[in-house]
Every structure is written in structure tokens, then in C-alpha cells.
Amino acid sequence: MKPLGETHGRRWRNPGLWLVLALTAAVSIWPLFAGNKAYAREVAFTILKAIALASSLNILLGYTGYVSFGHIVFFGLGGYVGFYLMSVHNLPLYVAVSAGALSAALLAFLLGKAILRLRGAYFALATIGVNEAARAFIKNFEPFGGPIGMSLKFHVYKAYGGPNRALWVAYGSLALLTLLIVLVSFLVKTSRFGLGLMAIRENEDAAEVMGVVAPKAKTWAYVLSALFPGMVGVIFFFKNGNIEPGDAFVLHQSIETIVMVMLGGQGTVLGPLLGAAVYQRLRGILLVTPLFKNIQLAVAGVLLLLIVLFVPAGVVGWLRRRFPRLRRVLE
């Protein structure tokens, strides 16, 4: 049996970890060297947001095998809680982000005790119901602005050097958070906890026979996958300056996130990153193409169907089969 220190050392020397961190860092610093920094920042922000959400969902979908169509509920709830603290109580961004994370994690913990008893399509349908219920509740919750939502006043941004400087604060915060999410995704996958989750994914009953406490493992995977979208939601709406129920609980964003995970390769660390980058690029092309701009979600649905039918392991899975020598690098 290998010493614990040696095992941990090998994890940190894994080239797959440094590849995903390097690619995420490259996206993060690209706007600093671009000619049009404002444009590049907006493009990179969208990509980093997609990577963060996809990597978070991958902890549940990729490692545990539970498909959540309502995962955006944690993004919306965290965004609302953090936004409320900043707009009403003038709390700083880092406190709001922490509160958004805790609120999303608490909701996931409570939901996990109930809906994670379901499997397959029943779980997926339950998550859609949760998202729609949350949107209806927030829409009628007056402290959060009801159907018209809330907006940040100028003095909030003044504390960060003005609106333009605040945009860079939001961008830097998201870049650091995305790096953290990618790192956590890798650490989960290469841990004993992650091994238990993947055993559940392959055969939950057999995993329990082998000693995995499935209800507990699934709940904590759900909590961890919800924690980060709550933080992303706070940063995103801080950058936008306003929040509304229709923007916070958009069901199709959950569907698009699933497409990103599947496209890149579910159950891998690199997959959500590649899937997010490719899908966002494709989405950008569709939005400026007159023929496809109004049916981009239909294209996403067709893309998901094609992935499931022909490339179920995603881009990373295909590359690992086609080029076996890359398996150690493509984590």
C-alpha cells in the first residue's frame, strides 16, 4: 500500500490538472492582452461563466450520474440572496458571494434529502419542478422586488471605483472562482469520495453493497455542485446591476449546461471546459446568423441528441479512445 503523502503528491503532479488550470488561466488573462479589452472581457466572462456552471454540474451529472434539469435554481437563488444583501444592506461583494453560496448549499441539502431518493427520469422531472416553484415563489416575494426584481444603485459601485472598475472586479472574481471550481472538480474526481460517486453512477445498488453510503454521498455531491452556481449568480448579477425572476431561473440555461457537459465529456475534468468553450462559440455564431438566431435552443436539443447517439463519451472520451497516449493528459 502506498503512503498517503505519495498518493497526494502524484495527484498534484498529474499533467491533466495543470492542463485544465492552464487553459482556464489562458481564457482569464486573454482580455488583458486583447486590443479591445472591453469586448474581450465580455466574451471571456461568458465563457468563464459557462465553464463554472458546467464544471459544477459535472460533479453531480458526470461523477454521480444524476441528470438535473433545474440546476440553474441555485444560480438564481444565490444571485438573489447576494444581490439583496448588496442592494438593501450595502454589504461588500465577498460577503454577498459567501451568502449566495451558503443559501444555495442549504437549499441543495434540504432538497437532496427528498428528491435524491428518486432515480432516472423521476429525479430529472423533480428538478424541473423545483426550478419552476422557485421562480414562482421569488416572483411573488416582495422583499426581493417581486416580478420586477431589484437594481443596484450607483453608490454600490462607487465603493469599487465606479461602474467600469466594478466590471473588472466582477471579472477577476469570476476568473478566480472558475479556477477554484476546476481544481475542486479534479480533487473530487481523484478522491475516495469521487470513487464512491462514480461507483454510484455505474451501479448504485452494487455500490451500496461494496460499502458506499449512497444517500449521504449523493447529498454531499448535490450540495457541492450547488455551492458554486450560487456564487456565480451573485457575481453575474452584480456585474449586470439588476436581477429579475425571468433572468435568474431560466430553464433553458440548465439544458444548455447539460449540453456543454455532454459535449466535452461527462465525468472528466477537461470535458466541461472544452464543452463550454465550443458551445459558447457555436451559440455566438447562431445568434448572429439570421436563419438560426431564433432557434438556437432547437439546435442545442439536436446537438444533445447527436452526442447521446454517436459520441456519448464526448470530445474528451473520443480523444482518449482515438489517442491512448493522451489518457494521462486528458483527465
Side-chain angles (χ1 to χ4, degrees), residues 33-108:
F33 302 97
N36 188 338
K37 288 183 171 56
Y39 171 77
R41 181 193 63 218
E42 295 306 305
V43 173
F45 188 96
T46 302
I47 295 174
L48 289 172
K49 171 175 167 277
I51 293 172
L53 294 178
S55 295
S56 301
L57 178 61
N58 188 51
I59 295 174
L60 182 70
L61 169 61
Y63 300 158
T64 313
Y66 275 68
V67 182
S68 174
F69 281 96
H71 216 64
I72 203 68
V73 69
F74 304 115
F75 170 84
L77 176 65
Y80 255 103
V81 170
F83 202 95
Y84 173 79
L85 294 176
M86 285 186 290
S87 63
V88 177
H89 297 286
N90 296 318
L91 293 179
L93 178 62
Y94 72 90
V95 174
V97 169
S98 300
L102 291 174
S103 61
L106 178 60
L107 176 62

Coordinates of all heavy atoms in Angstrom, one line a residue, residues 33-108:
F33 N -4.6 41.3 -22.8 CA -3.7 41.5 -23.9 C -4.5 41.7 -25.2 O -3.9 41.9 -26.3 CB -2.9 40.2 -24.1 CG -2.0 39.9 -22.9 CD1 -2.5 38.9 -22.0 CD2 -0.8 40.5 -22.6 CE1 -1.7 38.7 -20.8 CE2 -0.1 40.3 -21.5 CZ -0.5 39.3 -20.6
A34 N -5.8 41.8 -25.2 CA -6.6 42.0 -26.4 C -6.6 43.5 -26.8 O -6.4 44.3 -25.9 CB -8.0 41.5 -26.2
G35 N -6.8 43.7 -28.0 CA -6.9 45.1 -28.5 C -8.1 45.8 -27.9 O -8.0 47.0 -27.4
N36 N -9.3 45.2 -28.0 CA -10.5 45.8 -27.5 C -10.8 45.1 -26.2 O -11.4 44.0 -26.1 CB -11.7 45.6 -28.4 CG -12.9 46.3 -28.0 OD1 -13.1 46.6 -26.8 ND2 -13.8 46.6 -29.0
K37 N -10.2 45.6 -25.1 CA -10.3 44.9 -23.8 C -11.7 44.7 -23.3 O -12.1 43.7 -22.7 CB -9.4 45.7 -22.8 CG -8.0 45.6 -23.0 CD -7.2 46.3 -21.9 CE -5.7 46.0 -22.0 NZ -5.1 46.3 -23.3
A38 N -12.6 45.7 -23.5 CA -14.0 45.6 -23.0 C -14.7 44.5 -23.7 O -15.4 43.7 -23.1 CB -14.7 47.0 -23.2
Y39 N -14.5 44.4 -25.0 CA -15.2 43.3 -25.8 C -14.7 42.0 -25.4 O -15.4 41.0 -25.1 CB -15.0 43.6 -27.3 CG -15.4 42.4 -28.1 CD1 -16.8 42.2 -28.4 CD2 -14.5 41.5 -28.6 CE1 -17.2 41.1 -29.1 CE2 -14.9 40.4 -29.4 CZ -16.3 40.2 -29.7 OH -16.7 39.2 -30.4
A40 N -13.3 41.9 -25.3 CA -12.7 40.6 -24.9 C -13.2 40.2 -23.5 O -13.4 39.0 -23.2 CB -11.2 40.7 -25.0
R41 N -13.3 41.2 -22.6 CA -13.7 40.9 -21.2 C -15.1 40.3 -21.2 O -15.4 39.3 -20.5 CB -13.7 42.1 -20.4 CG -14.1 41.9 -18.9 CD -14.3 43.3 -18.2 NE -15.5 44.0 -18.9 CZ -15.5 45.3 -19.0 NH1 -14.5 46.0 -18.7 NH2 -16.6 45.8 -19.6
E42 N -16.0 40.8 -22.0 CA -17.4 40.3 -22.0 C -17.4 38.9 -22.6 O -18.2 38.0 -22.1 CB -18.3 41.3 -22.8 CG -18.4 42.6 -22.2 CD -18.9 42.6 -20.8 OE1 -20.0 41.9 -20.6 OE2 -18.3 43.1 -19.9
V43 N -16.7 38.7 -23.7 CA -16.6 37.3 -24.3 C -16.0 36.3 -23.3 O -16.6 35.2 -23.0 CB -15.8 37.3 -25.6 CG1 -15.6 35.9 -26.1 CG2 -16.5 38.2 -26.6
A44 N -14.9 36.7 -22.6 CA -14.3 35.8 -21.7 C -15.2 35.6 -20.5 O -15.2 34.4 -19.9 CB -12.9 36.4 -21.3
F45 N -15.9 36.6 -20.0 CA -16.8 36.4 -18.9 C -17.9 35.4 -19.2 O -18.2 34.5 -18.3 CB -17.4 37.8 -18.6 CG -18.2 37.8 -17.3 CD1 -17.7 38.2 -16.1 CD2 -19.6 37.3 -17.3 CE1 -18.4 38.2 -14.9 CE2 -20.3 37.3 -16.1 CZ -19.7 37.8 -14.9
T46 N -18.4 35.5 -20.4 CA -19.4 34.5 -20.8 C -18.9 33.1 -20.8 O -19.5 32.1 -20.3 CB -20.0 34.8 -22.2 OG1 -20.5 36.2 -22.1 CG2 -21.1 33.9 -22.6
I47 N -17.7 32.9 -21.3 CA -17.1 31.6 -21.4 C -16.7 31.1 -20.0 O -17.0 29.9 -19.7 CB -15.8 31.6 -22.2 CG1 -16.1 32.0 -23.7 CG2 -15.0 30.3 -22.2 CD1 -14.9 32.2 -24.6
L48 N -16.2 31.9 -19.1 CA -15.8 31.5 -17.8 C -17.1 31.1 -17.0 O -17.1 30.2 -16.2 CB -15.1 32.6 -17.1 CG -13.6 32.9 -17.5 CD1 -13.1 34.1 -16.9 CD2 -12.7 31.7 -17.3
K49 N -18.2 31.9 -17.2 CA -19.4 31.6 -16.5 C -19.9 30.2 -16.9 O -20.4 29.4 -16.1 CB -20.5 32.6 -16.8 CG -21.9 32.3 -16.4 CD -22.8 33.5 -16.6 CE -24.3 33.2 -16.5 NZ -24.8 32.5 -17.7
A50 N -19.8 29.9 -18.2 CA -20.2 28.6 -18.8 C -19.4 27.5 -18.2 O -19.9 26.4 -17.8 CB -20.2 28.6 -20.3
I51 N -18.1 27.7 -18.1 CA -17.1 26.7 -17.6 C -17.5 26.4 -16.1 O -17.5 25.3 -15.7 CB -15.7 27.2 -17.7 CG1 -15.3 27.2 -19.2 CG2 -14.7 26.2 -17.0 CD1 -13.9 27.8 -19.4
A52 N -17.7 27.5 -15.4 CA -18.0 27.4 -13.9 C -19.3 26.6 -13.7 O -19.3 25.6 -12.9 CB -18.1 28.7 -13.3
L53 N -20.3 26.9 -14.5 CA -21.6 26.2 -14.3 C -21.5 24.7 -14.8 O -22.1 23.8 -14.1 CB -22.7 26.9 -15.1 CG -23.1 28.3 -14.5 CD1 -24.2 28.9 -15.4 CD2 -23.6 28.2 -13.1
A54 N -20.8 24.5 -15.9 CA -20.7 23.2 -16.4 C -19.9 22.3 -15.5 O -20.2 21.1 -15.2 CB -20.1 23.2 -17.8
S55 N -18.8 22.8 -15.0 CA -17.9 22.0 -14.1 C -18.6 21.7 -12.8 O -18.4 20.6 -12.2 CB -16.6 22.8 -13.8 OG -15.8 23.0 -15.0
S56 N -19.4 22.7 -12.3 CA -20.2 22.4 -11.1 C -21.3 21.3 -11.3 O -21.4 20.4 -10.5 CB -20.9 23.7 -10.7 OG -20.0 24.7 -10.4
L57 N -22.0 21.4 -12.4 CA -23.0 20.4 -12.7 C -22.3 19.0 -12.9 O -22.9 18.0 -12.6 CB -23.8 20.8 -14.0 CG -24.8 19.8 -14.5 CD1 -25.9 19.6 -13.4 CD2 -25.5 20.3 -15.8
N58 N -21.1 19.0 -13.5 CA -20.4 17.7 -13.7 C -20.2 16.9 -12.5 O -20.1 15.7 -12.5 CB -19.1 18.1 -14.4 CG -18.4 16.8 -14.9 OD1 -19.0 16.0 -15.6 ND2 -17.1 16.7 -14.5
I59 N -20.1 17.6 -11.3 CA -19.9 16.9 -10.1 C -21.1 16.0 -9.8 O -20.9 14.9 -9.2 CB -19.7 17.9 -8.9 CG1 -18.4 18.7 -9.1 CG2 -19.6 17.2 -7.6 CD1 -18.1 19.8 -8.1
L60 N -22.3 16.5 -10.2 CA -23.5 15.7 -10.0 C -23.8 14.8 -11.2 O -23.9 13.6 -11.1 CB -24.7 16.6 -9.7 CG -26.0 15.9 -9.5 CD1 -26.0 15.2 -8.1 CD2 -27.2 16.9 -9.6
L61 N -23.8 15.4 -12.4 CA -24.1 14.6 -13.6 C -23.0 13.7 -14.0 O -23.3 12.5 -14.3 CB -24.4 15.6 -14.7 CG -24.6 15.1 -16.1 CD1 -25.7 14.1 -16.2 CD2 -24.8 16.2 -17.1
G62 N -21.8 14.2 -14.0 CA -20.7 13.4 -14.6 C -20.2 12.3 -13.6 O -20.0 11.2 -14.0
Y63 N -20.0 12.7 -12.3 CA -19.5 11.7 -11.4 C -20.5 10.8 -10.7 O -20.3 9.7 -10.4 CB -18.8 12.5 -10.2 CG -17.6 13.4 -10.7 CD1 -17.1 14.4 -10.0 CD2 -17.0 13.1 -12.0 CE1 -16.1 15.2 -10.4 CE2 -16.0 13.9 -12.4 CZ -15.5 15.0 -11.7 OH -14.5 15.8 -12.1
T64 N -21.8 11.4 -10.5 CA -22.8 10.6 -9.9 C -23.8 10.0 -10.8 O -24.5 9.1 -10.5 CB -23.5 11.5 -8.8 OG1 -22.5 12.2 -8.0 CG2 -24.3 10.6 -7.9
G65 N -24.0 10.6 -12.0 CA -24.9 10.1 -13.0 C -26.3 10.6 -12.8 O -27.2 10.1 -13.5
Y66 N -26.5 11.6 -12.0 CA -27.9 12.2 -11.8 C -28.1 13.4 -12.7 O -27.3 14.4 -12.5 CB -28.1 12.5 -10.3 CG -28.6 11.3 -9.5 CD1 -27.7 10.3 -9.3 CD2 -29.9 11.3 -9.0 CE1 -28.2 9.2 -8.5 CE2 -30.3 10.2 -8.3 CZ -29.5 9.1 -8.0 OH -29.9 8.1 -7.3
V67 N -29.0 13.4 -13.6 CA -29.3 14.5 -14.5 C -30.2 15.5 -13.9 O -31.4 15.2 -13.6 CB -29.9 13.9 -15.9 CG1 -30.1 15.1 -16.8 CG2 -29.0 12.9 -16.5
S68 N -29.7 16.7 -13.7 CA -30.5 17.8 -13.1 C -30.9 18.8 -14.2 O -30.0 19.5 -14.7 CB -29.8 18.4 -12.0 OG -30.5 19.6 -11.5
F69 N -32.2 18.9 -14.5 CA -32.6 19.9 -15.5 C -33.0 21.2 -14.8 O -33.3 22.2 -15.5 CB -33.8 19.4 -16.2 CG -33.5 18.4 -17.3 CD1 -33.6 17.1 -17.1 CD2 -33.1 18.9 -18.6 CE1 -33.3 16.2 -18.1 CE2 -32.8 18.0 -19.6 CZ -32.9 16.6 -19.4
G70 N -32.9 21.3 -13.5 CA -33.2 22.5 -12.8 C -32.0 23.1 -12.0 O -32.2 23.8 -11.0
H71 N -30.8 22.8 -12.4 CA -29.7 23.2 -11.6 C -29.5 24.7 -11.6 O -28.8 25.2 -10.7 CB -28.4 22.5 -12.2 CG -27.4 22.1 -11.1 ND1 -27.7 21.2 -10.1 CD2 -26.2 22.5 -10.8 CE1 -26.7 21.0 -9.3 NE2 -25.7 21.8 -9.7
I72 N -30.1 25.4 -12.5 CA -29.9 26.8 -12.5 C -30.7 27.5 -11.4 O -30.4 28.7 -11.1 CB -30.5 27.4 -13.9 CG1 -29.9 28.8 -14.2 CG2 -32.0 27.4 -13.9 CD1 -28.5 28.7 -14.5
V73 N -31.5 26.7 -10.6 CA -32.2 27.3 -9.5 C -31.2 27.8 -8.4 O -31.4 28.8 -7.7 CB -33.1 26.2 -8.8 CG1 -32.3 25.1 -8.2 CG2 -34.0 26.9 -7.8
F74 N -30.0 27.1 -8.3 CA -29.0 27.5 -7.3 C -28.3 28.8 -7.8 O -27.9 29.6 -7.0 CB -28.0 26.4 -7.1 CG -28.6 25.1 -6.7 CD1 -28.6 24.0 -7.6 CD2 -29.3 25.0 -5.6 CE1 -29.2 22.8 -7.2 CE2 -30.0 23.8 -5.2 CZ -29.9 22.7 -6.0
F75 N -28.1 29.0 -9.1 CA -27.6 30.2 -9.6 C -28.5 31.3 -9.3 O -28.1 32.4 -8.9 CB -27.4 30.0 -11.2 CG -27.1 31.2 -11.9 CD1 -25.8 31.7 -12.1 CD2 -28.1 31.9 -12.6 CE1 -25.5 32.8 -12.8 CE2 -27.8 33.1 -13.3 CZ -26.5 33.5 -13.4
G76 N -29.8 31.1 -9.5 CA -30.8 32.2 -9.3 C -31.0 32.5 -7.8 O -31.0 33.7 -7.5
L77 N -31.1 31.5 -7.0 CA -31.3 31.7 -5.6 C -30.1 32.5 -5.0 O -30.2 33.4 -4.2 CB -31.5 30.4 -4.8 CG -31.6 30.6 -3.3 CD1 -32.9 31.4 -2.9 CD2 -31.7 29.2 -2.6
G78 N -28.9 32.0 -5.3 CA -27.7 32.6 -4.8 C -27.5 34.0 -5.2 O -27.2 34.9 -4.5
G79 N -27.9 34.2 -6.5 CA -27.9 35.6 -7.1 C -28.8 36.5 -6.3 O -28.4 37.7 -6.0
Y80 N -30.0 36.1 -6.0 CA -31.0 36.9 -5.3 C -30.5 37.2 -3.9 O -30.7 38.4 -3.5 CB -32.3 36.2 -5.3 CG -33.3 36.8 -6.3 CD1 -33.6 36.1 -7.5 CD2 -34.0 38.0 -6.1 CE1 -34.5 36.7 -8.4 CE2 -34.8 38.5 -7.0 CZ -35.1 37.9 -8.2 OH -36.0 38.5 -9.1
V81 N -30.1 36.2 -3.2 CA -29.7 36.4 -1.8 C -28.5 37.4 -1.7 O -28.5 38.4 -1.0 CB -29.3 35.1 -1.1 CG1 -28.6 35.4 0.2 CG2 -30.5 34.2 -1.0
G82 N -27.5 37.2 -2.6 CA -26.3 38.1 -2.6 C -26.7 39.5 -3.1 O -26.2 40.5 -2.5
F83 N -27.6 39.6 -4.1 CA -28.0 40.9 -4.6 C -28.8 41.7 -3.5 O -28.6 42.9 -3.4 CB -28.9 40.7 -5.8 CG -28.9 41.9 -6.8 CD1 -28.1 42.0 -7.8 CD2 -29.8 42.9 -6.5 CE1 -28.1 43.1 -8.7 CE2 -29.9 44.0 -7.4 CZ -29.0 44.1 -8.5
Y84 N -29.6 41.0 -2.8 CA -30.4 41.6 -1.8 C -29.5 42.2 -0.7 O -29.7 43.3 -0.2 CB -31.4 40.6 -1.1 CG -32.1 41.1 0.1 CD1 -33.2 41.9 -0.1 CD2 -31.7 40.7 1.3 CE1 -33.9 42.4 1.0 CE2 -32.4 41.2 2.5 CZ -33.5 42.0 2.3 OH -34.2 42.4 3.4
L85 N -28.5 41.5 -0.3 CA -27.6 41.9 0.8 C -26.8 43.2 0.3 O -26.5 44.1 1.1 CB -26.6 40.8 1.2 CG -27.3 39.6 1.9 CD1 -26.2 38.5 2.1 CD2 -27.9 40.1 3.2
M86 N -26.4 43.2 -1.0 CA -25.7 44.3 -1.5 C -26.6 45.6 -1.7 O -26.2 46.7 -1.4 CB -25.0 44.0 -2.9 CG -23.8 43.1 -2.7 SD -22.9 42.8 -4.3 CE -24.1 41.8 -5.2
S87 N -27.8 45.4 -2.2 CA -28.6 46.5 -2.6 C -29.3 47.1 -1.4 O -29.5 48.3 -1.3 CB -29.7 46.1 -3.6 OG -30.5 45.1 -3.1
V88 N -29.7 46.2 -0.4 CA -30.5 46.7 0.7 C -29.6 47.0 2.0 O -29.8 48.0 2.7 CB -31.6 45.7 1.1 CG1 -32.4 46.1 2.3 CG2 -32.6 45.5 -0.1
H89 N -28.6 46.1 2.2 CA -27.8 46.2 3.4 C -26.4 46.7 3.1 O -25.6 46.8 4.0 CB -27.8 44.9 4.1 CG -29.1 44.4 4.6 ND1 -29.7 45.0 5.7 CD2 -29.9 43.5 4.1 CE1 -30.9 44.3 5.9 NE2 -31.1 43.4 4.9
N90 N -26.1 47.0 1.8 CA -24.8 47.6 1.4 C -23.6 46.7 1.9 O -22.6 47.3 2.2 CB -24.7 49.0 2.0 CG -25.7 50.0 1.5 OD1 -26.0 50.0 0.3 ND2 -26.3 50.8 2.3
L91 N -23.8 45.4 1.9 CA -22.7 44.6 2.2 C -21.7 44.4 1.1 O -22.2 44.5 -0.1 CB -23.2 43.2 2.7 CG -24.0 43.2 4.0 CD1 -24.5 41.8 4.3 CD2 -23.2 43.7 5.1
P92 N -20.5 44.2 1.3 CA -19.5 44.0 0.2 C -19.7 42.7 -0.6 O -20.4 41.8 -0.2 CB -18.1 44.0 0.9 CG -18.5 43.6 2.3 CD -19.8 44.1 2.6
L93 N -19.1 42.7 -1.8 CA -19.3 41.6 -2.7 C -18.9 40.3 -2.1 O -19.6 39.3 -2.3 CB -18.5 41.9 -4.0 CG -18.6 40.8 -5.1 CD1 -20.0 40.6 -5.6 CD2 -17.6 41.2 -6.3
Y94 N -17.8 40.2 -1.4 CA -17.3 38.9 -0.9 C -18.3 38.4 0.1 O -18.4 37.1 0.2 CB -15.9 39.1 -0.4 CG -15.7 39.8 1.0 CD1 -15.8 39.1 2.2 CD2 -15.5 41.2 1.0 CE1 -15.7 39.8 3.4 CE2 -15.4 41.8 2.2 CZ -15.5 41.1 3.4 OH -15.4 41.8 4.6
V95 N -18.9 39.2 0.9 CA -19.9 38.7 1.9 C -21.1 38.2 1.1 O -21.7 37.2 1.4 CB -20.3 39.9 2.9 CG1 -21.5 39.4 3.8 CG2 -19.1 40.3 3.7
A96 N -21.6 39.0 0.1 CA -22.7 38.6 -0.7 C -22.5 37.2 -1.4 O -23.3 36.4 -1.5 CB -23.0 39.7 -1.7
V97 N -21.2 37.1 -2.0 CA -20.9 35.8 -2.6 C -20.9 34.6 -1.6 O -21.4 33.6 -1.9 CB -19.5 35.9 -3.3 CG1 -19.0 34.5 -3.7 CG2 -19.5 36.9 -4.5
S98 N -20.4 34.9 -0.4 CA -20.4 33.8 0.6 C -21.9 33.5 1.0 O -22.2 32.3 1.1 CB -19.7 34.3 1.8 OG -18.3 34.6 1.5
A99 N -22.7 34.5 1.1 CA -24.1 34.2 1.5 C -24.9 33.5 0.3 O -25.7 32.6 0.6 CB -24.8 35.6 1.7
G100 N -24.5 33.9 -0.9 CA -25.1 33.2 -2.1 C -24.8 31.7 -2.1 O -25.6 30.8 -2.4
A101 N -23.5 31.4 -1.8 CA -23.0 30.0 -1.7 C -23.7 29.2 -0.6 O -24.2 28.1 -0.8 CB -21.5 30.0 -1.5
L102 N -23.8 29.8 0.6 CA -24.5 29.1 1.7 C -26.0 28.9 1.4 O -26.5 27.8 1.8 CB -24.3 30.0 3.0 CG -22.8 30.0 3.5 CD1 -22.7 31.0 4.7 CD2 -22.3 28.6 3.9
S103 N -26.6 29.9 0.9 CA -28.1 29.7 0.6 C -28.3 28.6 -0.4 O -29.2 27.8 -0.3 CB -28.7 31.0 0.1 OG -28.1 31.5 -1.1
A104 N -27.5 28.6 -1.5 CA -27.6 27.5 -2.5 C -27.3 26.2 -1.9 O -28.0 25.2 -2.2 CB -26.7 27.8 -3.7
A105 N -26.3 26.1 -1.1 CA -25.9 24.8 -0.5 C -27.0 24.3 0.5 O -27.3 23.1 0.5 CB -24.5 25.0 0.3
L106 N -27.6 25.2 1.2 CA -28.6 24.8 2.2 C -29.8 24.3 1.4 O -30.4 23.3 1.8 CB -29.0 26.0 3.0 CG -30.2 25.8 4.0 CD1 -29.8 24.7 5.0 CD2 -30.5 27.1 4.8
L107 N -30.2 25.0 0.3 CA -31.3 24.5 -0.4 C -31.0 23.1 -1.0 O -31.9 22.2 -1.0 CB -31.6 25.5 -1.6 CG -32.8 25.1 -2.6 CD1 -34.1 24.9 -1.8 CD2 -32.9 26.0 -3.7
A108 N -29.8 22.9 -1.5 CA -29.4 21.6 -2.1 C -29.5 20.5 -1.0 O -29.9 19.4 -1.3 CB -28.1 21.7 -2.7

